[in-house]
Amino acid sequence: MTDVVPTLMDLIGLPVTLERHGRRGRDLDGVSLVPTLRSADHPSDHREQYYESFGDRAYLREGWEAVSVRTPLTPFRDDRWELFDLSDDLTQCRDLAAEHPERVAELVRAWEEAAGENQVLPMADGTPLHWFQRPPHEQRFARPVTLLPCTPTLERFRSGHLIDGRSFEIVVDLEAFTLADSGVLVSHGGQEGGYVLYVEDGFLHFVENAFSRMIEAPPVRLPAQCSRITVAVTAPGKARWSVEIRIDDEVVLRSDDFIQLSWLVPYNGINVGVARRSPVSWELARKYGTFRYSGRIAGVTYVPGDLAPDAFPMMIDHFRELGMATQ
């Protein structure tokens, strides 16, 4: 996967820019596959690669691969590592760790260095517990945040914490609103799933892409003047959302017809005043493209609320109660 971008850049003849405004960026991890595409005899230029998935790890270097043998709920430092010579054992049937302990230690050190450089840590421990209990340091991502119109797309992981498994409010503060203004106020997600709040022809629209099923609240006619639009989303459980829309603190719409988005979806982060990247609504994108808001947005504030009763973190106490009942 890491070889795809350098390969495409090589094929179309574009250099990879690694500096912007005098600041050095990260080098690409992958290498171009073009020499291999042009000559089947060309040796691979991708000679090293780290792997990690739910606590299982491996490191490949020059035809040798070290692979961890993971026991869930035990310290990672206690894992045993196997070693395979892929030049002679492509299916990894013969463990050579006992014969080459120094090579195992070398590859494990290389994995640890790559993990630090590529934000692999902290790792899941190989059990389902990480779905239910997130690391304490992630709690800061569920605090209110205000985004300005000039803010780049808020990163997906950060955006997800504001809505995942919980109730939340989106507060849009407008400046000098007129009925001639139109465009996207907030967009979160893409064609895989998400929601978009936009103004068109004097009406306010809230549309959800529920895993390719489009759900739209009845359009709300906007008054000649308004300074604040609030979308209050309640997560009552059972994968549902209830949506209340307020204009200058007056409730103008309530709907219980929405589907809760959580965990991996939305794939794209939050945009203010424009619908960048993959479109939540193809219909809207075909009509207006990114549909940049023509008016002035002072800011958009996300206020995370209570967790749904069946959200993963809330289920931990429930599982404890079930366990105590069996003792």
Side-chain angles (χ1 to χ4, degrees):
M1 291 175 65
T2 56
D3 293 338
V4 172
V5 169
T7 299
L8 294 176
M9 299 293 278
D10 192 358
L11 287 170
I12 62 180
L14 282 179
V16 178
T17 301
L18 296 177
E19 184 176 299
R20 185 179 184 188
H21 301 313
R23 298 184 64 181
R24 174 76 180 179
R26 291 189 53 179
D27 293 334
L28 292 180
D29 288 328
V31 296
S32 172
L33 295 170
V34 170
T36 303
L37 295 175
R38 292 176 174 163
S39 173
D41 298 328
H42 185 83
S44 172
D45 293 318
H46 194 147
R47 298 186 174 92
E48 296 194 31
Q49 179 65 52
Y50 81 91
Y51 304 88
E52 188 275 334
S53 179
F54 300 107
D56 290 308
R57 293 100 73 210
Y59 198 88
L60 172 69
R61 172 181 284 173
E62 301 290 350
W64 290 85
E65 185 167 8
V67 181
S68 70
V69 180
R70 178 85 188 117
T71 301
L73 293 176
T74 62
F76 289 102
R77 62 178 175 273
D78 294 341
D79 288 353
R80 181 172 61 86
W81 288 76
E82 297 177 341
L83 179 69
F84 303 98
D85 180 1
L86 302 187
S87 65
D88 187 50
D89 180 22
L90 192 60
T91 54
Q92 301 186 352
C93 294
R94 296 185 298 277
D95 177 16
L96 304 178
E99 301 174 30
H100 302 280
E102 72 291 341
R103 191 179 293 275
V104 174
E106 171 194 334
L107 295 178
V108 171
R109 285 195 300 270
W111 185 93
E112 291 172 347
E113 292 175 3
E117 293 172 357
N118 291 277
Q119 304 175 21
V120 176
L121 307 175
M123 293 181 289
D125 67 358
T127 71
L129 183 62
H130 68 284
W131 300 126
F132 298 91
Q133 181 171 301
R134 304 300 300 169
H137 66 265
E138 291 185 5
Q139 293 178 4
R140 69 185 189 276
F141 297 140
R143 298 172 184 165
V145 61
T146 298
L147 307 174
L148 304 179
C150 58
T151 305
T153 303
L154 188 64
E155 190 270 330
R156 166 195 175 189
F157 183 81
R158 179 72 176 85
S159 298
H161 274 69
L162 299 170
I163 72 167
D164 189 12
R166 67 189 334 125
S167 301
F168 61 95
E169 286 192 354
I170 309 170
V171 182
V172 181
D173 288 310
L174 303 172
E175 293 183 359
F177 171 79
T178 72
L179 290 176
D181 296 334
S182 64
V184 170
L185 300 176
V186 178
S187 177
H188 183 186
Q191 60 189 337
E192 76 291 340
Y195 54 89
V196 58
L197 179 71
Y198 66 95
V199 176
E200 181 186 30
D201 298 330
F203 284 85
L204 180 69
H205 299 258
F206 182 78
V207 178
E208 180 190 13
N209 181 338
F211 312 101
S212 297
R213 173 190 167 196
M214 303 307 295
I215 305 173
E216 182 170 1
V220 175
R221 183 180 292 277
L222 289 164
Q225 293 182 339
C226 69
S227 60
R228 172 169 288 185
I229 296 171
T230 302
V231 179
V233 179
T234 302
K238 297 185 178 180
R240 307 296 299 178
W241 270 351
S242 297
V243 173
E244 178 182 276
I245 295 179
R246 301 191 293 267
I247 297 178
D248 290 335
D249 298 326
E250 179 184 350
V251 177
V252 295
L253 182 142
R254 289 191 179 95
S255 176
D256 299 324
D257 296 332
F258 293 91
I259 305 297
Q260 181 181 3
L261 302 175
S262 62
W263 193 43
L264 291 176
V265 179
Y267 290 157
N268 290 283
I270 297 170
N271 292 298
V272 171
V274 66
R276 298 187 187 95
R277 304 180 179 180
S278 175
V280 172
S281 167
W282 274 109
E283 179 181 356
L284 195 65
R286 291 187 183 104
K287 289 173 66 176
Y288 300 112
T290 58
F291 204 15
R292 185 175 294 276
Y293 185 62
S294 62
R296 296 164 58 189
I297 300 174
V300 173
T301 301
Y302 271 75
V303 184
D306 294 333
L307 291 166
D310 53 2
F312 283 162
M314 301 294 286
M315 297 299 288
I316 293 177
D317 290 339
H318 176 62
F319 291 146
R320 289 197 183 108
E321 292 175 4
L322 292 176
M324 291 298 293
T326 66
Q327 301 303 310

